[in-house]
Amino acid sequence: MDWPAYSPDLNPIEHVWDALGRRIATRLHNPENTQQLNQMLIEEWALLPQEMLHQLDLSMRRRCEATIAVKGGHIPY
């Protein structure tokens, strides 16, 4: 299968980072430094719904098939 080396469609961690970023953005206080950001990320990682991660894993077959169908082009979701 040919696809771009850094395709966000085939990189599940990009979706996890997006979810973590959204959760950090909804907090009442923004991190003031990298130490606070690191702590917030650790806290939010522990709170990520396991079902979300499971569904992301299950979606990989569909993502691969869709990427093949468009010959490696980006698939906006």
Side-chain angles (χ1 to χ4, degrees):
M1 172 171 55
D2 295 328
W3 67 81
Y6 299 103
S7 171
D9 301 317
L10 298 178
N11 190 346
I13 195 65
E14 293 297 328
H15 298 278
V16 175
W17 276 119
D18 179 62
L20 287 170
R22 290 173 188 265
R23 293 174 72 98
I24 295 291
T26 62
R27 286 186 164 222
L28 294 177
H29 303 288
N30 291 328
E32 295 178 10
N33 54 50
T34 55
Q35 184 178 10
Q36 285 182 1
L37 176 59
N38 186 48
Q39 183 59 40
M40 287 180 180
L41 287 168
I42 290 169
E43 291 168 5
E44 293 300 338
W45 172 258
L47 296 172
L48 278 179
Q50 289 299 302
E51 182 61 22
M52 182 201 83
L53 300 174
H54 180 67
Q55 290 301 318
L56 185 57
D57 179 46
L58 291 177
S59 73
M60 288 310 298
R61 180 182 183 99
R62 177 183 52 79
R63 291 173 188 280
C64 288
E65 289 169 350
T67 301
I68 290 169
V70 297
K71 298 179 175 37
H74 176 66
I75 306 163
Y77 284 98

